[in-house]
Amino acid sequence: MRSRRRALDELDEERLVRLVARGDRGAFDELYRRTSPWLAVRLRRRCADEQIVAEVMQETYLAVWRAAGAFAGSAVGGTAVGWLWTIAARRLVDAFRRRAHHAEPPVAAAERAMVPAAEDEALAGTVGGDVGDALRRLAPELREVLQATVLDGLSVRETAVLLRLPEGTVKTRARRARIAMREALT
């Protein structure tokens, strides 16, 4: 067994993928041992949610096991590590899409009150002068996008889920809000 492990240690990742394509479990284990640490780090740089990272890791290696025969490798100028990262990146995008599709905004965000929101009152009390005046003059739909993206630090996707808007609408409103603020402050 040790000699088999030593033999696998000497193979490059492309050869390991070729062996995985033939159903070699030992080669798969060695490929996982070599590549999973850096793959997890790269995924964490793009996603802070450990649950999503774990799901993507599992889906990626399952795809590698199932599709290793489709790996073209150096014949087309690719590498096994690049192929692995492509699979993982696509799985990560899919996970983000699933989450955004199924995400529900917090109950408090879904219920619109007719009285001024606490955020508006707090904003009015903390942001004064010309900036505060410019913020208060913004249309409510522009102000809420600006508050979510700039003041609360939410991403476009998180803002879209929170406000129940398409991402494109969030981007457009954020741009319009910035332009209006710039004009008001010049």
Side-chain angles (χ1 to χ4, degrees):
M1 177 134 180
R2 287 182 190 247
S3 62
R4 167 91 169 125
R5 170 120 180 162
R6 230 176 283 132
L8 290 174
D9 281 345
E10 295 173 8
L11 297 177
D12 64 3
E13 286 81 8
E14 184 169 343
R15 294 279 305 148
L16 289 172
V17 171
R18 302 264 180 241
L19 290 172
V20 170
R22 289 188 247 158
D24 188 328
R25 177 62 191 214
F28 179 80
D29 291 343
E30 178 63 20
L31 182 68
Y32 180 84
R33 185 188 66 74
R34 284 187 200 177
T35 59
S36 63
W38 70 260
L39 183 61
V41 167
R42 286 190 77 174
L43 289 170
R44 284 185 190 110
R45 286 184 189 155
R46 287 157 181 79
C47 177
D49 187 330
E50 283 296 322
Q51 183 179 0
I52 290 177
V53 170
E55 288 172 14
V56 169
M57 291 282 291
Q58 183 176 10
E59 290 174 9
T60 298
Y61 284 101
L62 182 60
V64 167
W65 178 256
R66 290 180 176 165
F71 172 64
S74 59
V76 294
T79 65
V81 172
W83 178 69
L84 189 70
W85 172 244
T86 300
I87 293 170
R90 288 180 179 161
R91 295 294 188 267
L92 184 60
V93 169
D94 291 344
F96 283 150
R97 286 181 181 151
R98 280 192 308 269
R99 284 283 168 103
H101 179 71
H102 296 295
E104 288 294 324
V107 176
E111 298 169 356
R112 306 276 175 156
M114 298 309 283
V115 297
E119 294 88 0
D120 291 337
E121 291 176 3
L123 184 63
T126 59
V127 179
D130 294 338
V131 175
D133 292 341
L135 276 171
R136 284 186 283 285
R137 282 195 301 266
L138 280 178
E141 67 272 8
L142 300 181
R143 186 172 50 246
E144 70 183 0
V145 167
L146 193 64
Q147 285 176 325
T149 57
V150 176
L151 300 175
D152 297 337
L154 298 178
S155 68
V156 170
R157 170 167 280 141
E158 292 165 336
T159 301
V161 170
L162 179 70
L163 300 177
R164 293 185 178 190
L165 297 170
E167 287 183 41
T169 302
V170 170
K171 290 177 185 178
T172 301
R173 288 183 182 176
R175 183 174 180 275
R176 286 178 46 210
R178 284 190 210 100
I179 290 169
M181 289 292 292
R182 193 173 307 124
E183 288 173 357
L185 295 172
T186 56

